[in-house]
Amino acid sequence: MSSDHRQRALQDPHRPLYHFLPPCMWMNDPNGLIHWRGQYHMFYQYNPDRVGFGAMRWGHAVSDDLAHWQHLPVALSPTLGGPDKDGVYSGSAVDDHGRPTLIYTGISPECQCIATSDDDLVTWQKYAGNPVIPAPPAGLAVTGFRDPYVWREDNGWSMVLGSGIRGQGGAVLLYHSSDLTEWTYRGPLMAGDQESEETWECPSLFPLGDRHVLLYSVFPFTYAWVGQYAQGSFTPEQRVYADWGGEFYAAQPFQDASGRRLLFGWVFDRRSDAAREQAGWAGLMSLPRVLTMRDGQLGVSAAPELASLHEEAYEVGAFDIGEFTLLPEVCWHDTQELQAEIDLGAAQTVSLIIRRSPDGEEYTELRYDRASGQLQWLPECSSLDPDVERIPREAPLTLEPDEPLRLQVFLDRSVVEVFANGQVSLTGRIYPTRRDSQRVAFASEGAGARLNSLQAWRMQSAGVF
Ligand code: DQQ
C-alpha cells in the first residue's frame, strides 16, 4: 500500500464516505462474515499491492452496529510454499464449538483450506493438514473449484463449493464433514443447463422463512434461487437477482444473533483501469441488507442500523409531482439518504431524479413504469466523462392498487443503493463530473402522482475513510 495511492484516494471526489472500504488499493468479495460475541466481523478479498486483482489476502474489519467500522490487521496472507502460496481466495466463517474457523480456497491448483483463531479473530493459525479438500472429485471435469460456504447440519457440517462441469454448465457441489477437516463429496447440489459453462462463484445455501435460498454469482450478477432443501437435495422454484443493479457481486449472507439473515456484496467499479489507478482505490462493500421471505418471494431492505449514520435531517412537504419539479437547492449532498413515499394516482410513470446539475446536463433517473411494473435505473446522463460505463437496469416491482411507491435511496458519492417497498434492491455507480450535480427532482407522465413525503439525511462517515 503506497502513501501516493492513499493520498490520491483521500482526494478522489468519487470515493464513498459511509460505505466500508480499505484505505486504498483494491478489494473485492466479502468473506467470512460472522457475528461474534456481539460484534460484526467482515473479511474481504484485498490486494494491497496494486489497484487491481493479484495475490489475494483477507482484509478484516469489525463493527458494533453494522454501520461504523474499524480496520483490523490483515487476517490471512499467502504462505510461501503452502497450498495458498498464490492467493487466499474467498470463503466463509463458522463457530466450531467456540473456536472461530475460516474455510477458504488456495489456488494453483484450487483446493480448500481452514484456519482457526484463539484470540477473538485477530490472528489466525492455518491448519497444518491443509488442504482439507486437495482436489475436485475424481472423474468430475470441473471448470472451477472454489469459494467454500459452510454451515452446521446433521450433527456436522455441510459445504457448498462454486464449480462448473464441462459440457454441462455452472454447478454447486455439496460436501459433508463431521469435524471440518475430513470432507465427503455428496454430489452436485445444483448444476446449470448449458446456459454457460462458467463457474458459479461464491455459492451459499440458507433457510429463509419457509424456503431455502441458493445464491451464486456469475459475473457481473449474483443470482438467488428460491426453493426447498431437504436431506442434501435442493428443489428450485424461482430464480431472481439478489440485487437488480449491474455492480453488485459475490454476495455473502450470514445470520446474526437476532436470527436475521444479512447480506453484503462487493460493489465494483465502472471506470477505466487508468482512472482507478489514478484514483488510488477500487471496490467497496455494499451496505448491509436484511433478507426476507414472503409468499415464496425473496425480499430485501436496508439494515435499520444505518439510521445511526444520520446527521442533519431535512423534510419536504407533500406536493403534486406534475411533469417536472426541481426541488430548491437547499439541502442536497452527495452523501445522503433519501426516503420518498409517492402515490402514483393515474400516472403511467413517476421518476426520482438525483445528482442533477441545475441545467440538467448531468442527472441520474430512477423511474417506476406502471405498465411494465419495473423500477428502472437510467444512468445514461449520470456523467459527462465518456470513459464511464453507463448501463440501464430494471427491477420487477409489483404494487398493490393503493400501495404507494416507497423508495429508500442511499447516495454516497459514486455509489447509489436503492431499496423499494421491501421487495427489491438496485445498486449502481455514477461518476458526475460537475460539482453542482447535487439537485433532486421529480417527474411524472400522466396525471395524479403525488409526493406524500420526502425525508433526507446527510450521512456521517463509517469511520474508515
Ligand atoms: N473472487 C475470488 C474467487 C471468487 C471470485 C477471488 C469472485 O474466490 O470465485 O478474489 O469474485
Side-chain angles (χ1 to χ4, degrees):
M1 181 169 99
S2 86
S3 63
D4 271 9
H5 285 95
R6 174 71 179 144
Q7 282 315 314
R8 297 207 295 269
L10 286 173
Q11 283 156 18
D12 178 21
H14 296 303
R15 188 158 178 267
L17 188 69
Y18 64 88
H19 281 74
F20 174 82
L21 75 184
C24 60
M25 313 313 268
W26 167 273
M27 68 154 274
N28 52 292
D29 316 350
N31 293 153
L33 303 172
I34 191 165
H35 195 202
W36 184 264
R37 300 197 177 140
Q39 290 192 302
Y40 294 95
H41 286 263
M42 176 201 283
F43 303 87
Y44 58 94
Q45 290 285 287
Y46 175 45
N47 185 10
D49 299 335
R50 57 185 285 264
V51 189
F53 199 68
M56 302 311 293
R57 295 27 165 210
W58 277 36
H60 185 190
V62 68
S63 171
D64 292 330
D65 63 2
L66 285 171
H68 300 86
W69 293 91
Q70 195 190 323
H71 290 297
L72 290 174
V74 166
L76 296 175
S77 296
T79 296
L80 203 65
D84 59 14
K85 61 187 183 326
D86 292 322
V88 185
Y89 275 25
S90 289
S92 54
V94 293
D95 175 354
D96 179 14
H97 305 94
R99 193 156 69 147
T101 303
L102 305 180
I103 309 97
Y104 64 92
T105 295
I107 57 160
S108 323
E110 288 174 326
C111 59
Q112 317 316 322
C113 302
I114 63 176
T116 55
S117 173
D118 300 322
D119 66 353
D120 283 349
L121 293 71
V122 176
T123 59
W124 293 87
Q125 295 79 45
K126 293 179 184 173
Y127 176 57
N130 278 340
V132 292
I133 307 180
L140 203 64
V142 298
T143 57
F145 187 65
R146 58 181 176 272
D147 309 337
Y149 178 86
V150 176
W151 69 97
R152 205 181 270 288
E153 187 178 354
D154 292 343
N155 297 322
W157 302 97
S158 292
M159 171 198 289
V160 280
L161 266 181
S163 191
I165 302 171
R166 289 203 192 284
Q168 193 175 343
V172 173
L173 308 183
L174 183 66
Y175 282 76
H176 192 262
S177 170
S178 56
D179 60 3
L180 294 173
T181 61
E182 302 278 329
W183 290 91
T184 310
Y185 177 52
R186 287 281 164 91
L189 182 67
M190 192 165 175
D193 48 9
Q194 286 167 342
E195 184 184 345
S196 115
E197 267 199 358
E198 276 181 87
T199 297
W200 288 358
E201 299 183 311
C202 301
S204 57
L205 179 73
F206 55 94
L208 193 63
D210 57 0
R211 298 290 204 286
H212 269 73
V213 177
L214 176 64
L215 293 180
Y216 67 89
S217 293
V218 178
F219 199 80
F221 302 117
T222 300
Y223 297 93
W225 272 109
V226 174
Q228 312 273 354
Y229 172 78
Q231 290 162 350
S233 166
F234 182 72
T235 310
E237 291 170 355
Q238 194 197 155
R239 192 179 80 163
V240 292
Y241 290 106
D243 180 282
W244 295 80
E247 286 99 43
F248 177 89
Y249 195 66
Q252 185 174 99
F254 70 112
Q255 194 169 34
D256 73 0
S258 72
R260 293 184 303 175
R261 198 60 69 164
L262 300 161
L263 186 76
F264 281 99
W266 165 40
V267 181
F268 55 87
D269 293 75
R270 285 289 180 196
R271 49 183 176 178
S272 66
D273 290 352
R276 291 174 198 178
E277 174 60 26
Q278 180 52 37
W281 70 282
L284 61 124
M285 200 62 79
S286 75
L287 297 173
R289 291 114 188 266
V290 183
L291 298 177
T292 54
M293 186 63 64
R294 200 175 42 188
D295 302 328
Q297 304 291 319
L298 183 65
V300 62
S301 46
E305 286 92 333
L306 293 167
S308 68
L309 295 168
H310 289 169
E311 288 193 323
E312 290 156 85
Y314 307 95
E315 208 159 326
V316 175
F319 65 86
D320 293 330
I321 290 178
E323 211 171 300
F324 178 79
T325 309
L326 180 62
L327 297 187
E329 200 167 2
V330 283
C331 55
W332 313 116
H333 302 290
D334 54 6
T335 54
Q336 193 158 42
E337 179 188 340
L338 304 170
Q339 286 184 18
E341 186 188 283
I342 300 165
D343 272 335
L344 297 177
Q348 285 102 50
T349 69
V350 59
S351 297
L352 166 61
I353 295 161
I354 51 173
R355 302 299 307 270
R356 185 185 189 279
S357 59
D359 59 4
E361 192 179 31
E362 277 184 335
Y363 65 90
T364 299
E365 184 170 353
L366 200 59
R367 181 197 293 158
Y368 183 63
D369 182 77
R370 172 178 250 148
S372 62
Q374 299 286 329
L375 180 65
Q376 301 169 332
W377 165 256
L378 304 169
E380 286 91 335
C381 298
S382 60
S383 177
L384 297 176
D385 179 347
D387 286 339
V388 165
E389 283 184 90
R390 285 157 286 196
I391 305 170
R393 299 277 308 154
E394 57 184 19
L397 180 62
T398 309
L399 299 179
E400 298 299 323
D402 287 326
E403 186 180 355
L405 174 64
R406 288 198 190 86
L407 297 175
Q408 187 175 16
V409 181
F410 292 90
L411 305 180
D412 196 0
R413 296 183 164 179
S414 58
V415 187
V416 182
E417 293 195 49
V418 180
F419 296 85
N421 292 64
Q423 293 182 37
V424 286
S425 67
L426 210 153
T427 298
R429 301 300 300 274
I430 55 173
Y431 301 90
T433 59
R434 288 177 50 162
R435 293 184 79 83
D436 60 355
S437 292
Q438 302 282 358
R439 304 282 289 271
V440 171
F442 287 90
S444 67
E445 293 167 319
R450 183 169 171 79
L451 178 80
N452 292 337
S453 62
L454 174 65
Q455 289 175 291
W457 296 266
R458 194 176 184 142
M459 300 293 263
Q460 61 183 237
S461 159
V464 290
F465 188 77

